[in-house]
Amino acid sequence: MVSAGLAGGSPHMVSASITALTRLLYEFRARLKQEVVVDLVETMDLFLTSANREIVRSVLGFVKVCVISLSTELMLPRLKTLVPNLIVWSHEHKAQFKAKVKHILERMIRRFGADLIE
């Protein structure tokens, strides 16, 4: 039911749905089927290319939760598209986006290694 909000008409509704899905993923990641989690991560990777800052701010929170809490096997295939999409937002003039992307990339380097992220 929450994922239906991703097709919402306003960016505020999409952002709120992403935030809710982030919390649900964090709390119930052990109970969710792996296919569902993979689909969510792929969908959020698409939202990361959005031009709307409000949506991207929520997606950055989702990506952070994924990097911290999901298994390495599940995240490794997504890094090829996830890292370049994050780098695009690191060049944003707003300092808050730069800081969030920097923090996520630092977490990725700690978890997956610098060579893989590079």
Side-chain angles (χ1 to χ4, degrees):
M1 285 178 29
V2 177
S3 63
L6 295 176
S10 69
H12 186 71
M13 184 175 191
V14 174
S15 176
S17 298
I18 292 170
T19 304
L21 285 170
T22 302
R23 185 64 185 179
L24 289 171
L25 176 69
Y26 182 75
E27 289 294 327
F28 301 108
R29 65 185 175 271
R31 294 183 187 176
L32 293 173
K33 294 180 183 177
Q34 187 169 357
E35 297 84 23
V36 173
V37 175
V38 168
D39 287 343
L40 274 175
V41 173
E42 289 175 358
T43 303
M44 294 307 150
D45 198 13
L46 292 174
F47 276 118
L48 197 55
T49 61
S50 173
N52 189 300
R53 286 190 174 107
E54 185 176 4
I55 292 173
V56 172
R57 186 178 312 126
S58 296
V59 174
L60 289 175
F62 184 89
V63 170
K64 182 179 174 183
V65 166
C66 288
V67 169
I68 291 170
S69 64
L70 294 182
S71 68
T72 306
E73 298 83 27
L74 195 112
M75 289 302 295
L76 283 176
R78 300 302 319 157
L79 291 180
K80 289 181 182 178
T81 59
L82 195 60
V83 172
N85 289 340
L86 283 172
I87 296 298
V88 168
W89 286 100
S90 69
H91 301 298
E92 186 69 22
H93 294 293
K94 300 278 185 183
Q96 97 185 50
F97 278 103
K98 286 182 181 181
K100 284 183 181 191
V101 171
K102 180 181 173 187
H103 181 71
I104 292 169
L105 288 173
E106 286 174 352
R107 290 283 189 154
M108 285 179 166
I109 289 171
R110 280 190 226 147
R111 185 145 186 223
F112 305 114
D115 295 333
L116 186 64
I117 300 302
E118 186 179 358

